Amino acid sequence: MILFKYLKKYKFLIFIILILSICRIYAELELPNYTSSIVNVGINQKGIEDALMLKMSSKTYSTYSLFMNEEELKLFNKAYKEDSGYYKLESVDKDSKKKLNITIEEVAYTIYTLMSSKQLESSILNNVRNKDYLYNYRKEAINKIKDNKELFLSKVAVRFVEEEYKNVGIDTNKISNEYLKNTAINMMLITFVILFISVTVGFIASRVAASIGKNLRKQIYEKVMNFSTLDIEKFSISSLITRTTNDITQVQNSLSMILVIVLYAPLMAIAGSIKVLKTNVNMSYMIALGISLIIVLIVISFIYAMPKFKAMQTLLDRINLVSREILTGIQVIRVFGREKYEEQRFDKENQNHMKNEKAIIKVIALFFPYLMLVLNALSILILYVGSKQVDLGYLQVGDLLAFLTYSMMIIFSFIFLTMSIVIIPRASVAAKRIDE
């Protein structure tokens, strides 16, 4: 595309904008995770992040130990040390913590099933020396879970942790408030980072676009000053004025948009889609439906509006031509009494430009209500289907909110691209006229 040739001299600055855009996308995609954590962990789980208790009673420690094999028990004993009649969690490495968390989740669920059937005490008393039986019973109980095993085990384990904290005197409200505070601080820091990157990218893009605009005006001016009378007649003075002013402004604005939006939007759409696929929400087809409807709108708008955009610059040339002829020959017009005719002539060109402009505005006016209809309908559909899954226990509220946010991010990326598609063709026409 002819527009991109103007950017060749600014490769380093474009590279910086690209890196900053990637950092911004990464930061923006982290915010829904924090929102999800606030709801799931901070509110629903009282700030309890996993099944590993910071402190537990001797009775709980002994009961949990009965349902573990030798390897798991060794890791369990290493992680928890006795202190004043209680067992406290020591610092453990990431892999050991992950393994131990899975083990304790399974043990907590096994105890939950035995408590539900009122068989906990009898099972422990009858098989206290037969640990293999209790371990095998645990594995059988876990294998019976068919859907959303990880989510279900986590929920049960967190409830056990909450009850145990009450028994050993740990204030869960304090844990919840501390978790919410830390999460909010992290979100604020990320927001400031996004703000800084956005301002920096906008500043660099504006400087690059303004510099290109300045150079183009200078080059056109120097070129026109060397034109012969024949060359001036070939292009016409009105067209040369439009090319020096309006056309360059169109190119400058479009280049600024390319650097800020066109580099950002596709990357956000791709990264957002990857994030959606990694969530526990199986509603990706809804995003595909929303994007399909928007693409249909883009294609229809593009087919209708593109010829109008191409005609806009020519119509503007005609207005400039008529205006210049009227101003240049104003005395002759008055002498021969041609004022009415010239007014009608100018009005005709003005009406043509107005009709073309109105046609474009109609497309834009219809585009945004339709767009908001698609977005709101998609939000309602996601919330409706998601609420059913939350009610069945297959999904957490925070995950649903994160999925909804990711969906809006992806769709808005396509909207930004749409805005670019509408503006860039007009700028391309202007760039070709400048290049002549």
Side-chain angles (χ1 to χ4, degrees), residues 376-409:
N376 291 327
L378 183 64
S379 299
I380 292 169
L381 185 61
I382 290 171
L383 290 172
Y384 176 76
V385 176
S387 63
K388 298 288 185 183
Q389 295 189 18
V390 170
D391 187 49
L392 294 170
Y394 296 150
L395 183 65
Q396 289 184 292
V397 176
D399 293 334
L400 177 60
L401 292 175
F403 179 83
L404 181 62
T405 307
Y406 286 135
S407 303
M408 294 302 105
M409 284 181 170

Side-chain angles (χ1 to χ4, degrees), residues 205-342:
S206 299
R207 293 280 293 186
V208 170
S211 178
I212 290 171
K214 183 190 75 172
N215 293 336
L216 284 175
R217 289 187 187 93
K218 181 182 177 183
Q219 290 169 13
I220 289 178
Y221 178 79
E222 290 174 352
K223 186 76 173 177
V224 171
M225 291 302 291
N226 294 321
F227 271 7
S228 63
T229 305
L230 189 63
D231 291 329
I232 292 174
E233 289 178 357
K234 176 185 174 182
F235 288 100
S236 82
I237 294 175
S238 60
S239 180
L240 290 172
I241 292 171
T242 306
R243 291 168 200 247
T244 309
T245 53
N246 187 268
D247 285 356
I248 291 177
T249 301
Q250 292 295 330
V251 170
Q252 183 175 322
N253 292 339
S254 297
L255 289 174
S256 180
M257 179 171 283
I258 287 171
L259 294 174
V260 175
I261 295 176
V262 176
L263 288 178
Y264 165 84
L267 293 173
M268 171 57 85
I270 294 168
S273 300
I274 293 170
K275 276 283 187 180
V276 163
L277 293 174
K278 288 183 177 179
T279 60
N280 297 322
V281 187
N282 298 318
M283 293 189 289
S284 302
Y285 62 92
M286 293 187 186
I287 300 176
L289 175 64
I291 292 171
S292 300
L293 292 173
I294 290 173
I295 288 173
V296 169
L297 175 63
I298 292 170
V299 171
I300 293 172
S301 302
F302 192 84
I303 291 171
Y304 181 77
M306 183 55 62
K308 307 293 181 183
F309 276 115
K310 288 182 178 179
M312 187 177 289
Q313 299 303 112
T314 304
L315 292 171
L316 196 61
D317 280 350
R318 289 291 305 166
I319 290 175
N320 285 337
L321 176 64
V322 172
S323 300
R324 188 175 182 281
E325 287 176 351
I326 291 171
L327 292 171
T328 304
I330 188 72
Q331 292 180 345
V332 178
I333 292 168
R334 285 174 178 172
V335 168
F336 289 95
R338 305 277 289 179
E339 291 94 338
K340 206 71 178 174
Y341 171 78
E342 294 299 333

Side-chain angles (χ1 to χ4, degrees), residues 196-209:
F196 172 77
I197 291 174
S198 300
V199 171
T200 304
V201 168
F203 176 77
I204 295 173
S206 299
R207 293 280 293 186
V208 170

